[in-house]
Amino acid sequence: AQSVAQPEDQVNVAEGNPLTVKCTYSVSGNPYLFWYVQYPNRGLQFLLKYITGDNLVKGSYGFEAEFNKSQTSFHLKKPSALVSDSALYFCAVRDRYGNNRLAFGKGNQVVVIP
Amino acid sequence: DSGVTQTPKHLITATGQRVTLRCSPRSGDLSVYWYQQSLDQGLQFLIQYYNGEERAKGNILERFSAQQFPDLHSELNLSSLELGDSALYFCASSAIGGQVTGELFFGEGSRLTVL
């Protein structure tokens, strides 16, 4: 079954510094990969996805993610973090062959320090 | 605003009771998904419906059941509630083919507390 791992519970970064949130995946076949963000007391919001093509995917709010097949990773990045980026970030994967469900990681709490 | 509406937002009940959570998907979306979010288990997929029919099943307990009605709204029924069922329950929807791209639109959740 497909799964994702987000190894860090919390990521602390100073405002203006680069932000990276790590994700590795396990899936049969080629994956569909996603990042979602959850602000306090809100539902999850879609940020970006990788389906095929360019390994660098650009998404909402200045976020991007890099797909690395050899390392089975899909790390989320932002060049310059904002205090408003403080939230819970989820990586998710769906395999291409017949399984319609998304498997989410446990999430990473990002804290951007002013 | 995602366009997905969930009610109630908060619910407090006792062990052994039964509750129903309701979800209205985005206008035009045929697929509805239910997820459970808890601190120890993270975000767990429960069940998916497409146009009234069950499409995929995840880690849903036998005490839980769901259905999708002709108007496409969905209900998640939780019975014989236990303390461990306390969690945030999310509904999400997607358009026809939306599942192919994985863009789910989430409601703001129903927080269930079992005392």
Side-chain angles (χ1 to χ4, degrees), chain A residues 32 34 36 38 41-46 49 51 88 90 94 99-106, chain B residues 1 33 35 37 40-41 43 45 48 55 57-58 88 90 99-104 106-108:
Chain A
Y32 289 176
F34 314 90
Y36 285 79
Q38 184 182 22
N41 301 312
R42 303 297 297 275
L44 278 71
Q45 295 178 34
F46 171 77
K49 65 179 184 282
I51 304 297
L88 193 55
F90 290 93
R94 172 189 175 267
N99 187 331
N100 291 325
R101 69 187 86 167
L102 286 184
F104 284 87
K106 285 205 165 185
Chain B
D1 183 4
Y33 312 78
Y35 282 84
Q37 185 180 31
D40 55 343
Q41 295 292 324
L43 202 61
F45 170 75
Q48 178 201 358
R55 180 59 65 91
K57 213 166 187 177
L88 193 52
F90 283 110
Q99 181 56 65
V100 175
T101 63
E103 287 170 83
L104 306 186
F106 282 80
E108 298 204 346

Side-chain angles (χ1 to χ4, degrees), chain A residues 18-103:
Chain A
L19 169 63
T20 298
V21 188
K22 296 180 180 177
C23 172
T24 57
Y25 67 89
S26 173
V27 67
S28 57
N30 293 319
Y32 289 176
L33 294 159
F34 314 90
W35 278 99
Y36 285 79
V37 61
Q38 184 182 22
Y39 297 101
N41 301 312
R42 303 297 297 275
L44 278 71
Q45 295 178 34
F46 171 77
L47 275 179
L48 50 80
K49 65 179 184 282
Y50 170 82
I51 304 297
T52 187
D54 196 348
N55 288 344
L56 186 63
V57 178
K58 294 191 184 296
S60 308
Y61 313 121
F63 283 95
E64 57 189 29
E66 186 168 11
F67 171 65
N68 187 318
K69 188 171 183 179
S70 63
Q71 296 185 3
T72 62
S73 67
F74 189 56
H75 301 331
L76 180 70
K77 299 180 181 183
K78 187 171 184 180
S80 178
L82 302 172
V83 172
S84 57
D85 293 329
S86 298
L88 193 55
Y89 290 80
F90 290 93
C91 182
V93 66
R94 172 189 175 267
D95 69 47
R96 291 176 182 267
Y97 306 108
N99 187 331
N100 291 325
R101 69 187 86 167
L102 286 184

